[in-house]
Amino acid sequence: GCSCSSVRERDVGYPPKLVAVHYPGMTQSPVNIDTVDPLVMYCDAYLLSHPLTLQNYRPGCARRMVNDGNTFKIEMRQEKQESVASLPGHITGDSEANVPKISGGPLHDEFKLLQIHAHWGATDQDGSEHTVDGDVFQGEVHLVHMNTKYPSFEQALTKRDGLAVLGVFLQLTDEGHEGHESFKTITDKLDSISYKGDSVDLDDNFNPQCLIPDDHQKYWSYPGSLTTGGYQECVIWIIFKNTLKVSHQQLEALRSLRSYPRGKDPKIVRDPITERRLSAHILDNYRTTQPLHKRRIRASFP
Ligand code: 1SD
Ligand code: ZN
């Protein structure tokens, strides 16, 4: 037999017959971002000379926010008829040309924003998917973009450069803080999507730019996978160095989302020590870090 397939089998624990090109393998996500080890991390001059560009990140591009039982999800308008009519500074055009897009940096094509969601923990000790030098943050927002050169999301899932996901860490600030002003536009609405299947229309003021941290030219990038579902290895990850600062109340608003539909209350399971509700809420919806294997991580800054 081929030795590489037995290595893969040992590493991921799947029978070889299930190992397809895009099946969970050697480029899984999330990972720990080791900023110290020069065998892992390098500053890439190419990224320094090719700025990451965000286009059409402006109000009016989001349609609604839903509770899908695993996270909140902000869905973007994709179609012509979904455009907001002639509001100054809002998306008014007649085509996909006005959908938020990213390009530059590590990306060789244009990628359009499909949806935004987040991952968080049951406590402040957990939450983010990626870690930095072993440090965990309290949450992580993902802005999921699809390569516009592929005709469908399903096709994109089968390509190494099918998706580009921007990752933004949510970091708890000190006590007594109102929390991040723009993240508030999300957390204030979570009350109205308490149950799985609930959705709320987003007013035309929601601007995804509010989730992009200061100095978005400082980021790490590496090739990886989805962190849910089929774990397809189709993602160019871009993780911003700077974080969004959030309050305890804002984290609690995330933790109060329920994982079951209205009226279908499950038997509440409580942790015997903390008495915290375990099964009823969306908690710890992050995947643990995966081996880096032969990958290196590029930094866009020295
Ligand atoms: O968790 C999301 C999942 O909800 C879905 O959005 C998927 C494809 O868009 O992406 C994953 S993730 O890898 O962005 N966490
Ligand atoms: Zn995600």
Side-chain angles (χ1 to χ4, degrees):
C2 159
S3 67
C4 55
S5 92
S6 69
V7 167
R8 174 171 274 203
E9 189 184 358
R10 190 165 60 243
D11 282 346
V12 298
Y14 293 104
K17 66 175 162 50
L18 290 180
V19 179
V21 173
H22 296 285
Y23 207 79
M26 306 297 268
T27 61
Q28 287 288 293
S29 293
V31 296
N32 176 46
I33 298 167
D34 184 331
T35 69
V36 181
D37 186 348
L39 294 175
V40 170
M41 179 65 59
Y42 67 105
C43 170
D44 190 341
Y46 179 89
L47 300 179
L48 281 170
S49 59
H50 292 77
L52 180 68
T53 306
L54 281 64
Q55 272 177 282
N56 297 326
Y57 263 67
R58 49 178 151 158
C61 55
R63 182 169 49 172
R64 54 172 203 159
M65 179 157 70
V66 303
N67 174 340
D68 73 2
N70 298 307
T71 186
F72 71 81
K73 198 168 277 183
I74 296 174
E75 302 168 344
M76 309 314 289
R77 293 188 163 92
Q78 299 295 329
E79 307 299 336
K80 172 179 173 172
Q81 63 272 23
E82 289 185 278
S83 301
V84 176
S86 49
L87 290 168
H90 290 54
I91 288 182
T92 55
D94 55 6
S95 76
E96 274 204 346
N98 287 318
V99 170
K101 286 196 185 97
I102 56 173
S103 57
L107 310 173
H108 298 300
D109 301 293
E110 273 199 335
F111 291 70
K112 63 173 179 176
L113 182 58
L114 299 180
Q115 49 100 341
I116 303 167
H117 65 269
H119 305 263
W120 58 87
T123 70
D124 295 344
Q125 274 63 58
D126 288 296
S128 66
E129 299 210 295
H130 292 87
T131 57
V132 179
D133 297 326
D135 286 343
V136 176
F137 293 89
Q138 284 73 33
E140 186 171 328
V141 174
H142 288 158
L143 299 100
V144 180
H145 301 71
M146 181 186 125
N147 195 326
T148 56
K149 81 179 178 190
Y150 297 125
S152 70
F153 184 71
E154 288 64 37
Q155 296 240 5
L157 291 181
T158 69
K159 312 289 185 193
R160 293 276 166 188
D161 60 353
L163 303 181
V165 182
L166 302 180
V168 187
F169 291 122
L170 297 176
Q171 185 173 29
L172 178 63
T173 54
D174 304 302
E175 33 36 80
H177 192 282
E178 266 282 287
H180 189 274
E181 256 314 297
S182 23
F183 197 60
K184 205 166 177 292
T185 64
I186 292 175
T187 48
D188 282 355
K189 296 232 181 234
L190 294 177
D191 267 357
S192 47
I193 57 162
S194 292
Y195 294 88
K196 178 179 180 177
D198 288 352
S199 70
V200 61
D201 284 337
L202 286 178
D203 51 52
D204 299 328
N205 293 321
F206 175 78
N207 183 350
Q209 179 75 43
C210 73
L211 298 170
I212 306 298
D214 295 341
D215 199 354
H216 68 263
Q217 296 304 340
K218 289 202 175 86
Y219 59 85
W220 299 288
S221 183
Y222 77 96
S225 74
L226 299 182
T227 65
T228 60
Y231 306 108
Q232 285 92 341
E233 296 181 332
C234 62
V235 181
I236 299 165
W237 282 97
I238 297 173
I239 310 289
F240 292 116
K241 177 179 189 285
N242 290 327
T243 63
L244 283 189
K245 309 291 189 293
V246 297
S247 65
H248 181 72
Q249 288 85 340
Q250 288 180 317
L251 291 168
E252 285 300 308
L254 293 171
R255 294 168 185 149
S256 69
L257 290 176
R258 292 167 173 89
S259 57
Y260 57 90
R262 197 177 289 275
K264 295 252 161 62
D265 290 54
K267 228 173 86 197
I268 305 297
V269 180
R270 286 178 193 276
D271 182 299
I273 296 160
T274 63
E275 300 213 312
R276 195 180 175 98
R277 292 155 69 111
L278 289 180
S279 71
H281 291 91
I282 302 175
L283 300 169
D284 293 331
N285 58 352
Y286 61 89
R287 188 186 196 196
T288 52
T289 54
Q290 305 294 308
L292 198 58
H293 293 299
K294 293 198 160 71
R295 289 172 291 178
R296 296 186 77 195
I297 302 176
R298 301 193 268 170
S300 68
F301 57 94

